Amino acid sequence: MDDASWGELASLDPATGPEHFVGRVTWYKKSLPSILHRQPVSHQWPSEFVSLMGVPPLDCRNASERVEWSTDDLVCVYEPLTAGAVLGSETQWPHVFAVMKALAGRFGDDGVRLVVAFD
């Protein structure tokens, strides 16, 4: 289990990314768009992805924004992996952060914590 105070979350730089991964790739079949496959991308593309799609049409170390491409029945999306991409306005997290911000206004930044546990 891990936690973060509202003060820590509010001061998070959206450009921050993890050390070992530069992005994430998502792919799905056009015929089955509800089943997504998602994997982090290190400096080398995941072998499962490359065996399915071949070498991607971009160098992930230099991509700074979302890139989408398709082949036959597959659609692929590459996104740089940053705090902003994972927690930003295009995700569901802003609703949680709005509540945390309101509570922090009443109880203080350190009085409001987000607790995360994985089973």
Side-chain angles (χ1 to χ4, degrees):
M1 197 159 38
D2 206 357
D3 68 335
S5 72
W6 170 245
E8 292 168 321
L9 291 171
S11 67
L12 188 63
D13 178 2
T16 302
E19 282 182 38
H20 303 296
F21 299 106
V22 295
R24 67 179 171 191
V25 64
T26 304
W27 68 96
Y28 60 89
K29 291 184 176 185
K30 293 175 187 173
S31 59
L32 264 169
S34 61
I35 299 178
L36 297 176
H37 303 275
R38 182 173 280 164
Q39 269 189 285
V41 175
S42 61
H43 292 287
Q44 291 187 0
W45 285 84
S47 58
E48 175 188 355
F49 178 83
V50 173
S51 67
L52 181 67
M53 293 293 297
V55 177
L58 66 127
D59 179 2
C60 61
R61 291 169 293 219
N62 297 325
S64 60
E65 55 189 41
R66 184 178 194 271
V67 177
E68 185 173 322
W69 71 98
S70 61
T71 62
D72 298 327
D73 189 37
L74 293 171
V75 175
C76 304
V77 177
Y78 171 82
E79 301 170 281
L81 192 56
T82 63
V86 175
L87 303 173
S89 62
E90 300 297 316
T91 70
Q92 296 175 352
W93 285 105
H95 302 292
V96 174
F97 298 148
V99 172
M100 290 182 74
K101 182 178 180 179
L103 289 169
R106 181 165 183 194
F107 299 107
D109 287 354
D110 288 333
V112 179
R113 303 193 79 70
L114 178 64
V115 179
V116 181
F118 296 94
D119 188 10

